[in-house]
Amino acid sequence: GQNIDQPTEMTATEGAIVQINCTYQTSGFNGLFWYQQHAGEAPTFLSYNVLDGLEEKGRFSSFLSRSKGYSYLLLKELQMKDSASYLCAVSSNDYKLSFGAGTTVTVRA
Amino acid sequence: DAGVIQSPRHEVTEMGQEVTLRCKPISGHDYLFWYRQTMMRGLELLIYFNNNVPIDDSGMPEDRFSAKMPNASFSTLKIQPSEPRDSAVYFCASSPTPGQSSYNEQFFGPGTRLTVL
């Protein structure tokens, strides 16, 4: 099975940087995903890591360390529209996704 | 492409009634997933299909839940009889076969918000 942990809530100021950590224990690993979910909407894909290291995509970056079972999502130059829940998800060898409980990020002016 | 399509978007029913949720995956995607999301339990995988065949239904909570995929463009999730604890948002997602894209990203539909009174 999968055990995925991430903080419940984080608050940051507009323009700042926030780092959301995710730790996981898995019986099989085929990559780690980050999804963004605004209230009342569906999750949407943000990033994917399968090899160790940093993947950068504009204001968002994601890091993976497979040996440590650790990932983080870095949100830079925060905007009000970034207020959402961020879900860490691990893909097992059969391509199922197991999701963490999500981190609610609140961006304040 | 219109993305994953789900219907209805909202469903309110009374305990004991049958509920059928519908999903049309993205054309060409070989995997289809049904999830349930609640505040208490987060996003849980219920069942998934590959090429219309159910692969893993270990997340289906009990026999009241059933899912079918009669063809590549349609799937249903049925709850009979429904109970108040089934109230949740039900998402359908689809993904391409690994190898067709660089990773097996799942694309989610807008969800069906189910309320059982």
Side-chain angles (χ1 to χ4, degrees), chain A residues 26-61:
Chain A
T26 177
S27 57
F29 184 81
N30 194 42
L32 187 142
F33 292 79
W34 285 95
Y35 279 79
Q36 179 191 59
Q37 186 176 24
H38 285 101
E41 298 183 9
T44 56
F45 168 80
L46 282 180
S47 70
Y48 172 73
N49 295 71
V50 67
L51 300 176
D52 290 353
L54 188 69
E55 294 282 341
E56 296 189 82
K57 239 189 205 184
R59 294 189 299 113
F60 294 177
S61 304

Side-chain angles (χ1 to χ4, degrees), chain A residues 66-101:
Chain A
R66 289 172 297 172
S67 63
K68 295 182 179 178
Y70 169 70
S71 173
Y72 68 73
L73 179 69
L74 195 68
L75 285 61
K76 294 177 278 189
E77 301 170 18
L78 279 173
Q79 301 176 8
M80 299 300 287
K81 66 178 181 178
D82 297 329
S83 292
S85 180
Y86 292 84
L87 305 169
C88 173
V90 175
S91 177
S92 55
N93 290 340
D94 57 0
Y95 305 108
K96 287 164 52 175
L97 283 185
S98 297
F99 284 83

